[in-house]
Amino acid sequence: DEAVQCQRIAEAAVRTKHHGPRRIKTDLMAHGYSSKAADAAVQAIPDEDFTDALAYTIDRKFPDIEETDAADMKKAVSSLMRLGFSSGMIFNEIRSRRKKR
């Protein structure tokens, strides 16, 4: 069943590859799954899983992101967007990290 396969692949991508929703949907469609099945698979994943994936990626790749200058911030945000995270999601995470300091 296409929907079940999409769901399994999407869950694995967010938990092991730490990809965001846009990247997962694009990858599923690139592998021949329908847009509807890919969208349903991404929608079924809890938002907390994507937030955790983003936080893990920031911790690993950009541990001092909240203290970087504008040029480095732009590079980091671009990199995270290529992994499928929205700019709003990224900046919300950065803001919450700044508040915790």
Side-chain angles (χ1 to χ4, degrees):
D1 186 18
E2 182 181 51
V4 174
Q5 283 181 326
C6 276
Q7 185 64 38
R8 288 183 183 156
I9 293 168
E11 288 173 356
V14 74
R15 290 195 177 100
T16 61
K17 295 180 181 180
H18 309 286
H19 287 172
R22 292 178 182 171
R23 173 78 180 261
I24 293 170
K25 182 177 178 181
T26 301
D27 287 350
L28 287 169
M29 290 172 51
H31 283 91
Y33 294 101
S34 70
S35 176
K36 183 178 177 180
D39 194 43
V42 170
Q43 294 294 326
I45 297 173
D47 289 339
E48 302 86 45
D49 289 358
F50 289 118
T51 303
D52 292 345
L54 176 59
Y56 175 84
T57 303
I58 290 174
D59 287 342
R60 198 174 113 248
K61 293 179 102 176
F62 311 105
D64 299 325
I65 196 168
E66 64 273 0
E67 299 172 5
T68 61
D69 62 8
D72 288 338
M73 177 70 73
K74 184 177 178 181
K75 290 177 188 176
V77 170
S78 293
S79 175
L80 293 166
M81 287 180 75
R82 284 189 298 275
L83 289 174
F85 299 102
S86 69
S87 60
M89 190 176 192
I90 295 165
F91 286 116
N92 284 340
E93 180 65 23
I94 293 168
R95 273 188 230 107
S96 72
R97 288 168 179 257
R98 285 183 177 160
K99 289 178 184 176
K100 290 178 184 175
R101 290 187 332 146

